[in-house]
Amino acid sequence: MLRLLLLCGALSCGASSDAPLTFTMLQWTQVSDGSSVFWGNATLGGRLSHLLDNRNVTQVLPLEPPAAWARQRDTVSSYLSYFSAIVQVFSKERPLNYTQLLLCRLGCCLFPNGTTRSFYEVSLNGTAFLTFHVPSATWELRWPRRDPVATYARRELMKYTETTHNLQHFLNTTCVDILRAQSPQTGKQRGRSHAPLVLGLILGVSAVVGMAVGIFLCTGGSC
Ligand SMILES: *[C@@H]1O[C@H](CO)[C@@H](O)[C@H](O)[C@H]1NC(C)=O
Ligand SMILES: *[C@@H]1O[C@H](CO)[C@@H](O)[C@H](O)[C@H]1NC(C)=O
Ligand SMILES: *[C@@H]1O[C@H](CO)[C@@H](O)[C@H](O)[C@H]1NC(C)=O
Ligand SMILES: *[C@@H]1O[C@H](CO)[C@@H](O)[C@H](O)[C@H]1NC(C)=O
Ligand SMILES: *[C@@H]1O[C@H](CO)[C@@H](O)[C@H](O)[C@H]1NC(C)=O
Ligand SMILES: *[C@@H]1O[C@H](CO)[C@@H](O)[C@H](O)[C@H]1NC(C)=O
């Protein structure tokens, strides 16, 4: 029996004396005996902004008007249902009795001096596993030893070039714009649309789907 535990690493913005304004999304995906469970949350400037409870995403901060939010929420639910269905199909073909826990951390920070930083980190069993390098839109292996699962997961993720470029844009631009709109320093706190927040959730989820499916197949012996 194979057992994979994927855990995400620590926040990349670091403990700086100049506290940055940060948007962070945490996503867990647990696949066990063919069924998938999702949970997570997002925080904007230290305040809970979104909750993911199985297939149900809730916006905690009123960032989007209810009608717009309802549409976004349905899109996220569809993605998660799609993922669950794929996993179920795979597990019927090749029953696996191990549990995988994927935990990913992504977001961006804005320092008082205007400098920004974006991050997407994945750790495996508490060890850094993969990180997304934003300038080149590539996934990088952090795993300390050569491992077919790690190599395979990275290759699977890199197949989705549309996802990697969308992810790059979300982390480098959209996420940072959200923070600039919130920041008193930039003085642009006007009622703007936060639809991109959900876009980020979807992109994050789809990246995780790619990785989880890849790892799932690989540990099933087909990589
Ligand atoms: C992660 O930890 C689990 C449980 O301790 C273990 O079964 C699994 O082999 C580990 N995975 C890797 C890739 O080391
Ligand atoms: C988000 O989830 C993590 C893990 O469950 C938890 O430690 C953290 O307190 C949550 N954040 C908020 C703002 O609720
Ligand atoms: C989703 O969460 C909201 C808020 O917690 C709740 O009102 C709603 O009933 C939940 N929907 C499902 C399908 O669980
Ligand atoms: C997984 O567990 C089920 C039920 O306990 C068993 O029938 C099946 O043979 C197991 N599969 C593997 C690959 O161990
Ligand atoms: C801005 O502040 C951050 C954190 O204190 C620091 O890492 C960065 O080098 C600074 N950038 C500039 C251009 O001063
Ligand atoms: C990231 O955003 C900055 C502007 O904030 C831009 O100069 C840079 O080219 C962008 N990088 C990528 C890889 O998109």
Side-chain angles (χ1 to χ4, degrees):
M1 186 167 102
L2 255 167
R3 191 187 170 87
L4 264 178
L5 266 180
L6 279 159
L7 294 167
C8 247
L11 179 64
S12 313
C13 291
S16 163
S17 50
D18 297 329
L21 180 64
T22 306
F23 179 65
T24 308
M25 285 189 269
L26 295 170
Q27 293 174 349
W28 282 261
T29 305
Q30 184 183 283
V31 179
S32 185
D33 289 336
S35 64
S36 316
V37 183
F38 310 92
W39 70 99
N41 61 32
T43 49
L44 180 57
R47 292 166 72 202
L48 187 66
S49 61
H50 296 80
L51 264 178
L52 173 61
D53 177 17
N54 205 8
R55 317 239 175 116
N56 194 2
V57 202
T58 315
Q59 74 166 352
V60 178
L61 292 179
L63 298 172
E64 276 195 279
W69 172 252
R71 283 193 300 274
Q72 310 285 5
R73 191 192 55 206
D74 292 348
T75 310
V76 175
S77 292
S78 308
Y79 259 92
L80 298 176
S81 300
Y82 173 69
F83 171 79
S84 301
I86 290 177
V87 168
Q88 247 164 17
V89 168
F90 285 143
S91 76
K92 279 200 182 104
E93 278 179 12
R94 199 189 291 118
L96 296 166
N97 292 342
Y98 60 86
T99 299
Q100 296 181 48
L101 182 61
L102 271 157
L103 169 49
C104 295
R105 183 166 212 158
L106 62 148
C108 58
C109 23
L110 173 64
F111 291 94
N113 65 9
T115 302
T116 62
R117 196 172 302 160
S118 304
F119 54 92
Y120 194 145
E121 303 167 333
V122 184
S123 302
L124 176 59
N125 283 354
T127 305
F129 180 53
L130 290 161
T131 52
F132 186 69
H133 186 244
V134 176
S136 58
T138 52
W139 288 95
E140 295 179 341
L141 270 184
R142 291 275 172 261
W143 199 238
R145 49 184 190 273
R146 288 200 67 80
D147 185 288
V149 175
T151 312
Y152 186 81
R154 181 181 172 276
R155 200 166 66 226
E156 281 298 300
L157 283 171
M158 289 305 296
K159 273 187 192 166
Y160 305 91
T161 41
E162 201 183 318
T163 304
T164 54
H165 283 99
N166 286 341
L167 201 52
Q168 178 189 51
H169 188 260
F170 173 75
L171 292 170
N172 188 60
T173 307
T174 315
C175 187
V176 168
D177 285 348
I178 291 161
L179 293 180
R180 289 213 171 100
Q182 296 291 318
S183 167
Q185 271 99 349
T186 51
K188 286 195 292 180
Q189 204 151 13
R190 49 177 197 260
R192 49 173 292 161
S193 168
H194 283 273
L197 274 184
V198 183
L199 176 68
L201 273 177
I202 293 166
L203 289 171
V205 166
S206 62
V208 168
V209 166
M211 169 156 43
V213 168
I215 292 165
F216 193 82
L217 282 171
C218 185
T219 50
S222 73
C223 66

